Amino acid sequence: MNPILMAIILVTAIGLIGAVILVAASIFMYVPVDERVEQITAVLPGANCGACGCAGCADYAKNVVENGAPVNKCVPGGAAVAAKVAAVMGVEAGASVPQKAVVACSGTCGKTSKKYEFEGIKTCQSVKGLYGGDGACTFGCLGYGDCTRACPFDAIHVVDGVAKVDREKCVGCGACAAACPNHIISIIPEPVKNPKRPRPVVLCQNKNKGADTRKACTAGCIGCMKCAKACKLGAITVENFLAHIDQEKCVGCYLCVKECPMQVIHIPANEA
Amino acid sequence: MIKQLAVIFFTMILVDNYVLSKFLGICPFLGVSKKLDSAVGMSLAVVFVMVMATAATWPIQTFLLDPNGMGYLQTIVFILIIAILVQLLENFLKKFIPALYRSLGVYLPLITTNCTILGVTILNIDNEYNFIESIVCAAGAGLGFLVAMVLFSGVRRRVEQARPPECFKGLPITLVAAAMTSLSFMGFGGIVDAIFG
């Protein structure tokens, strides 16, 4: 027989046999995939940020369908996506509170100083390992942008030595909060009850005594208790020379903002 | 017999390492070695498919192609067989061993066209190994791939920490690091013969 013909027949035969086997296999070994998983994956933002606690958007969709995970866990998508996911699943969406990251440090370049020149790898993590950072205040923003690199939405940047959140872009996924070695970034829910009076936040993490704080930074909380006394609702507590505002109790009267001698209590929502 | 198999097995891992000595499968070696867990996942999929592909292609070469004088069709037939096999394997794992399917994940279809798999199957024929020797050789080659991937993912972590000159950043420094890792494996030359011989 003609060898060329023989070769063509052989390869065709192998291909055909393989095709038959594969078709048979896909019929006999068919695994039913819940089509809702694909529908949910389609409505999710696809950022794979992990704010929901799953490995990615597809994983979250699978969790919703198979393990009954809550439909409103997608932080970047917010209420709109929660409603779409709920529609696919045929359940009520539940409230989805938008959240934003807040950097609790006001120590910009003019207000605090460096205690040494750092010449190592330019990350917060590594500078933190050397005497708690190169800033005079060891609690504040290190300014080497670990949060910027962690942010999947390009929403946080180091401006004037302190990380600043772009509240338009921020979705509150918490990637920056996890990356910050000083743990000064917190994820704070947007005020839903009274959106016109957003809650103030103490933008300082310095737990040293007032005099030491003042030496390190001119924009630090010195624990003078003025805000705690001014607050009529008892929403402010001072612990370790650092004021903390309970976001649940606060109604946004801004008495503390006026009272603070260091001007360290800010209203992040108004500063965007 | 056992001794000969052991020689083949360890030679494939250390001396004739497919990635570092024969320079096959460089694409996944550079592409998937950034993280240790994905490197291990990919390597396990390679071990698995290498053994299966050898088990499928050796009989075809020996009983179908060689008797009919069509050894020249080896490459195309092997590619076909490996592609079919991987697809079949994927279906099979999805249905019967979902845990393994999930852990291998996307790496299984990725290695359909991996040249190390084809390389192992063809070199087994070229070396005139019998069936058992071919299987052992394939397993050794797969484990060699695993060793190379795991070692190199460690090397890459160190490279990422370092600050190379601007022009070396990214792929160039990775290639230099790969070359050094490969050089270090030259030190294994003759070690297997010395142990077993």
Side-chain angles (χ1 to χ4, degrees), chain A:
Chain A
M1 204 206 258
N2 187 341
I4 296 176
L5 197 66
M6 182 90 171
I8 292 173
I9 291 172
L10 185 84
V11 174
T12 318
I14 291 179
L16 278 177
I17 293 169
V20 169
I21 293 174
L22 283 185
V23 169
S26 68
I27 292 169
F28 286 119
M29 295 195 262
Y30 175 70
V31 181
V33 180
D34 199 324
E35 59 182 20
R36 291 178 300 177
V37 174
E38 275 175 24
Q39 286 170 355
I40 293 176
T41 313
V43 296
L44 289 173
N48 294 321
C49 68
C52 51
C54 302
C57 291
D59 194 36
Y60 172 56
K62 209 166 147 225
N63 252 317
V64 169
V65 174
E66 288 174 10
N67 306 332
V71 294
N72 59 353
K73 281 280 174 192
C74 183
V75 181
V81 165
K84 281 184 202 159
V85 176
V88 174
M89 292 298 292
V91 294
E92 286 290 315
S96 172
V97 181
Q99 299 185 331
K100 304 279 177 204
V102 173
V103 181
C105 180
S106 319
T108 45
C109 288
K111 289 171 179 156
T112 183
S113 51
K114 299 271 177 212
K115 66 184 171 208
Y116 61 85
E117 281 298 320
F118 181 64
E119 286 288 347
I121 302 164
K122 301 282 183 201
T123 67
C124 304
Q125 196 74 51
S126 51
V127 73
K128 173 80 180 160
L130 206 58
Y131 304 105
D134 58 356
C137 167
T138 54
F139 297 92
C141 180
L142 295 155
Y144 287 94
D146 280 12
C147 47
T148 309
R149 284 182 286 276
C151 181
F153 302 96
D154 191 34
I156 188 165
H157 297 280
V158 177
V159 180
D160 204 14
V162 171
K164 196 166 162 42
V165 178
D166 183 339
R167 294 178 70 85
E168 289 286 308
K169 288 182 187 165
C170 180
V171 299
C173 70
C176 51
C180 180
N182 268 351
H183 309 294
I184 61 166
I185 306 176
S186 42
I187 307 299
I188 296 181
E190 295 279 88
V192 186
K193 278 180 274 178
N194 196 349
K196 283 188 182 155
R197 299 202 69 81
R199 312 286 182 260
V201 180
V202 181
L203 295 191
C204 181
Q205 285 287 315
N206 195 314
K207 298 183 180 71
N208 282 343
K209 283 182 182 170
D212 294 339
T213 307
R214 209 190 278 263
K215 263 181 226 156
C217 179
T218 58
C221 175
I222 52 175
C224 67
M225 306 287 289
K226 272 190 171 175
C227 50
K229 283 172 198 153
C231 185
K232 296 189 169 57
L233 293 154
I236 304 182
T237 47
V238 178
E239 205 177 305
N240 293 331
F241 312 99
L242 176 66
H244 174 75
I245 302 175
D246 188 332
Q247 302 278 318
E248 291 289 314
K249 287 184 187 164
C250 177
V251 295
C253 69
Y254 304 151
L255 281 175
C256 51
V257 180
K258 286 177 202 127
E259 202 64 40
C260 181
M262 305 302 285
Q263 276 109 45
V264 76
I265 306 182
H266 293 253
I267 307 150
N270 290 359
E271 289 171 0

Side-chain angles (χ1 to χ4, degrees), chain B residues 16-34 39 42-43 46 50 110-111 113-119 141 144-145 148-149 152-153 156 171-172 174-183:
Chain B
D16 281 344
N17 190 298
Y18 264 70
V19 179
L20 298 172
S21 301
K22 291 200 198 311
F23 308 116
L24 290 170
I26 297 294
C27 170
F29 181 63
L30 296 175
V32 201
S33 60
K34 268 187 196 141
M42 176 82 189
S43 311
V46 166
M50 254 180 197
L110 264 183
I111 53 181
T113 49
N114 191 324
C115 61
T116 33
I117 313 281
L118 187 66
F145 187 80
M149 290 286 275
F152 196 56
S153 75
R156 277 188 86 155
L171 196 58
T174 312
L175 287 171
V176 171
M180 284 178 184
T181 318
S182 170
L183 266 179

Side-chain angles (χ1 to χ4, degrees), chain A residues 3-4 6-8 10-11 14-15 17-19 21-22 25-26 28-32 62 119-122, chain B residues 60 64-65 68 70 72-73 76-77 80-81 83-85 87-88 91-96 102 161-163:
Chain A
I4 296 176
M6 182 90 171
I8 292 173
L10 185 84
V11 174
I14 291 179
I17 293 169
I21 293 174
L22 283 185
S26 68
F28 286 119
M29 295 195 262
Y30 175 70
V31 181
K62 209 166 147 225
E119 286 288 347
I121 302 164
K122 301 282 183 201
Chain B
I60 286 191
L64 192 64
L65 297 184
N68 295 319
M70 290 194 294
Y72 64 92
L73 282 176
I76 191 164
V77 169
L80 199 60
I81 301 275
I84 293 168
L85 188 78
Q87 281 298 318
L88 193 65
N91 272 333
F92 181 81
L93 291 181
K94 215 187 215 169
K95 177 77 179 174
F96 297 108
R102 269 197 299 278
Q161 294 283 319
R163 279 200 300 170

Side-chain angles (χ1 to χ4, degrees), chain B residues 12 47 51 62 78 101 105 109 112 117 137 162 168:
Chain B
M12 291 318 289
V47 176
V51 175
T62 316
F78 278 18
Y101 175 73
T112 312
I117 313 281
C137 174
F168 273 112

